[in-house]
Amino acid sequence: MSLPQGVRAGLLVGAVALALVPLSGDRFWVQFAGKLMITCIYAVSLDLLVGYAGLVSLGHSAFFGLSAYLLAGLANGLGLVSPLATLPLCLAFAGLAALLIGWLSLRATGVYFVMVTLAFGQMLYYLFSESPGLGGSDGVSILQRPRLAVLGRTILDLGDRTAAYAAIWVALVLSFLLLRRVVQAPFGHVLTAIRINEGRMRTLGYGTGRYKLAAFVLGGVLAGLAGYLDATLYGFVNPAQFGWRQSGLVLVTVLLGGKGTLYGPALGAALLSVLEHFAERATEHWSAVVGAAVIAVVLFLPRGVAGLLEGSRG
Amino acid sequence: MAEALLETEGLTRRFGALAAVDGVTLRVERGTVHAIIGPNGAGKSTLLNLLSGELRASSGRVRFRGEDVTRAPPDVLSRKGIGRSYQTANVFPELTCAESVWLAAHSRNAGRLFQPRRDGADTAAREEDALRACGLSGRRLSRAAELSYGEQRQLEVAMMLATDPELLLVDEPLAGLGHDEARMVLALLREVAQQRTLVLIEHDMDAVFAVAQTVTVLVNGRVLESGPPAAIRASPRVREAYLGEEEP
């Protein structure tokens, strides 16, 4: 489905505005917008599962956390800092984990699938928070951020805030364009039809399990990309990144923005980040304010903020 | 004797103590219409679900083109050439007719996960032919949810045809249709039957005896009689089984 004209223009303006944030020179806003873009990648990766394949996963944080922890392990344990090595390794690790977890989880359907994915996320949370060798509940600081050097000369240092910010911006744009391409291809149409009527798709000749697993793995790899970038930006990983709260928050982001649109969840991530920021400043009960806003959107905008922008368009 | 396209041997499906299909042995010859009739609860739809792979048999065998397909799932059977339509419209409410039929046609390329949107003239031609054959060319861009019940049944058949099956399992295609719609679907089935093999479940006996070359009567999950329509119509056992029901 093509994007509404206004949405397309809004996305372009948003992308340009985000690209210009580092020019403000304000460290806080650069960090804030960097985190916001990471959340966007995280949310659009989950939208592929929830909005297109109809797979409501509460274990999506597993791939975010595994990728982030692997980056920490590669940097601290092996002194491997080149993003040309660490990025493919982290994404492949997230993808392999998604293949295994997806292969097992997709044997269940409906609420049972939700519970199995939740269980995998929680298993990893307890494994990492209770294993001193993995940093325990305190987490792990990344001693060396990803850095690309050629002939002893550093050409890209992601420890530099602006460079990390630029990398996150590029990753967001590429992730979004990749997913747009995927959902507009036959693969995306098949996923949508599986969500609507899986039984009928099987009698039409589709091995639906393979399609769902492929979506699960692709979503997992992109969640892994978000985790890699998060660990790079903050230089720190902790077991809370595996927790159900993290998975729940990103799911809320998808629903708030409007599932099955890709741009909706990105918008949801931006709105939720801004709302949280200002609510935190206004009151110590900020989470109640955010909760009330989420309830209002779910009740009055069942198709999320994207539904509001698209009007009656189905 | 003509070549058998589909055969079952002692096919049985139990739900607890109840045998919904009980030792059914069938032989469906290539290029024929084989009707399965019987009172409500006789096990007709359960039998079709076993043949399409949506239910697993408790015991017995199913052979398609001589190959044992008893344990094959529905997607594998579909790709082997077994198409299926349902007793009630089983469509994609949010998709247009063109999208629904395209999905069915595209399924023949489903071995590859990632493909361009337009994947060859064959797919487009199958999509177009199926829509035209089912009288839905003018409804290409209508969503399935916006169609009348009769049109949804036509869409069902169009999706089935777009998969280019050799054997069609058609479950009560006339149920719930008005007179004109039923005539159109019947004419469509006659046309389809000229090139393919049909296993047809239908309660409308006039339609069954008009199109079928073989009729099998199921009662309580078992085959009561099987043979040409004239023999079935004349069978005292069949008449007895239908007491209280419509006489064949």
Side-chain angles (χ1 to χ4, degrees):
Chain A
M1 183 186 286
S2 60
L3 289 172
Q5 204 65 38
V7 170
R8 191 185 296 260
L11 285 173
L12 270 173
V13 169
V16 171
L18 283 169
L20 297 177
V21 169
L23 297 180
S24 71
D26 187 321
R27 286 177 53 132
F28 171 79
W29 285 112
V30 173
Q31 184 99 349
F32 179 84
K35 176 68 180 173
L36 185 154
M37 290 192 292
I38 289 169
T39 311
C40 285
I41 296 172
Y42 200 9
V44 294
S45 73
L46 184 62
D47 193 29
L48 179 68
L49 303 190
V50 177
Y52 291 88
L55 298 170
V56 180
S57 169
L58 272 180
H60 206 53
S61 58
F63 315 118
F64 184 101
L66 284 172
S67 176
Y69 264 85
L70 181 61
L71 176 66
L74 291 171
N76 296 356
L78 301 177
L80 199 56
V81 293
S82 169
L84 295 180
T86 55
L87 182 61
L89 282 172
C90 290
L91 297 193
F93 187 50
L96 273 175
L99 186 66
L100 179 65
I101 292 176
W103 182 69
L104 292 166
S105 308
L106 287 167
R107 286 156 195 277
T109 55
V111 72
Y112 300 103
F113 172 79
V114 179
M115 299 317 289
V116 173
T117 54
L118 174 65
F120 274 114
Q122 289 302 97
M123 268 167 53
L124 288 168
Y125 168 75
Y126 285 111
L127 174 69
F128 279 79
S129 64
E130 291 175 6
S131 303
L134 296 170
S137 58
D138 292 336
V140 181
S141 287
I142 298 172
L143 305 177
Q144 300 182 78
R145 311 279 180 97
R147 189 177 67 243
L148 183 62
V150 177
L151 300 172
R153 194 163 156 232
T154 299
I155 57 170
L156 175 68
D157 182 3
L158 294 180
D160 173 72
R161 199 176 301 271
T162 308
Y165 186 90
I168 294 167
W169 187 89
V170 170
L172 172 59
V173 171
L174 291 181
S175 301
F176 188 81
L177 292 177
L178 170 73
L179 284 179
R180 280 287 299 168
R181 180 129 187 125
V182 165
V183 300
Q184 288 180 321
F187 178 74
H189 293 284
V190 172
L191 276 187
T192 301
I194 289 172
R195 189 195 73 225
I196 297 170
N197 190 344
E198 183 172 359
R200 190 68 180 110
M201 285 298 276
R202 294 192 75 202
T203 51
L204 287 178
Y206 289 95
T208 56
R210 289 189 319 136
Y211 283 87
K212 292 196 292 186
L213 184 58
F216 198 85
V217 171
L218 182 55
V221 168
L222 290 176
L225 175 63
Y228 179 94
L229 295 169
D230 191 78
T232 299
L233 183 68
Y234 288 99
F236 180 72
V237 294
N238 72 82
Q241 290 169 335
F242 290 107
W244 67 268
R245 188 176 177 275
Q246 182 92 342
S247 290
L249 267 177
V250 72
L251 183 59
V252 165
T253 303
V254 170
L255 299 178
L256 185 76
K259 66 184 168 71
T261 59
L262 292 183
Y263 73 87
L267 196 60
L271 286 175
L272 207 57
S273 299
V274 171
L275 181 63
E276 267 184 14
H277 172 71
F278 287 106
E280 262 176 18
R281 291 188 165 192
T283 169
E284 62 183 291
H285 304 296
W286 62 272
S287 48
V289 175
V290 173
V294 170
I295 290 168
V297 169
V298 170
L299 286 180
F300 300 111
L301 297 172
R303 287 161 58 214
V305 179
L308 192 66
L309 296 177
E310 295 194 16
S312 59
R313 211 176 104 120
Chain B
M1 189 183 283
E3 183 191 355
L5 181 64
L6 179 83
E7 291 171 290
T8 70
E9 192 183 305
L11 195 61
T12 300
R13 171 68 197 204
R14 288 189 193 86
F15 296 103
L18 173 76
V21 171
D22 192 1
V24 169
T25 297
L26 277 183
R27 179 186 158 84
V28 178
E29 292 175 0
R30 193 186 294 270
T32 62
V33 176
H34 190 128
I36 295 171
I37 63 171
N40 286 331
K44 304 184 294 293
S45 290
T46 304
L47 175 61
L48 229 55
N49 286 337
L50 290 170
L51 299 180
S52 65
E54 288 159 275
L55 277 179
R56 283 281 174 93
S58 306
S59 62
R61 286 270 167 271
V62 181
R63 274 190 291 275
F64 180 62
R65 291 196 204 113
E67 181 188 353
D68 189 334
V69 295
T70 314
R71 312 297 286 178
D75 53 305
V76 171
L77 289 177
S78 172
R79 290 200 296 277
K80 283 183 183 295
I82 299 181
R84 167 89 206 255
S85 79
Y86 292 81
Q87 200 176 96
T88 52
N90 190 353
V91 293
F92 302 96
E94 297 160 46
L95 303 186
T96 64
C97 292
E99 286 169 336
S100 305
V101 177
W102 175 82
L103 274 168
H106 177 70
S107 68
R108 299 306 91 169
N109 310 318
R112 288 176 285 168
L113 285 179
F114 297 99
Q115 286 197 333
R117 170 69 177 90
R118 285 291 161 202
D119 42 3
D122 278 4
T123 304
R126 275 206 300 276
E127 172 190 334
E128 199 53 56
D129 289 350
L131 282 170
R132 193 180 328 106
C134 298
L136 289 171
S137 292
R139 300 288 258 157
R140 288 182 61 85
L141 301 180
S142 302
R143 292 183 184 213
E146 296 162 1
L147 302 179
S148 69
Y149 183 72
E151 287 173 322
Q152 288 188 2
R153 300 303 305 266
Q154 288 165 237
L155 178 58
E156 265 273 303
V157 177
M159 287 196 293
M160 178 174 62
L161 290 180
T163 63
D164 196 20
E166 188 176 358
L167 171 70
L168 286 79
L169 308 174
V170 188
D171 197 352
E172 295 196 35
L174 308 184
L177 298 188
H179 183 255
D180 290 345
E181 290 167 327
R183 269 182 49 189
M184 184 187 165
V185 170
L186 198 57
L188 176 64
L189 290 178
R190 280 178 194 273
E191 193 183 320
V192 167
Q194 289 176 1
Q195 294 156 12
R196 302 167 204 259
T197 307
L198 262 72
V199 172
L200 170 72
I201 292 179
E202 182 51 61
H203 278 295
D204 182 334
M205 291 304 149
D206 291 336
V208 166
F209 288 113
V211 299
Q213 283 90 46
T214 308
V215 178
T216 294
V217 185
L218 273 192
V219 176
N220 294 329
R222 295 182 178 199
V223 175
L224 184 72
E225 292 274 9
S226 192
I232 296 297
R233 202 192 282 269
S235 163
R237 292 174 73 201
V238 174
R239 287 179 175 274
E240 191 185 329
Y242 266 89
L243 279 176
E245 300 270 342
E246 184 184 356
E247 276 203 0

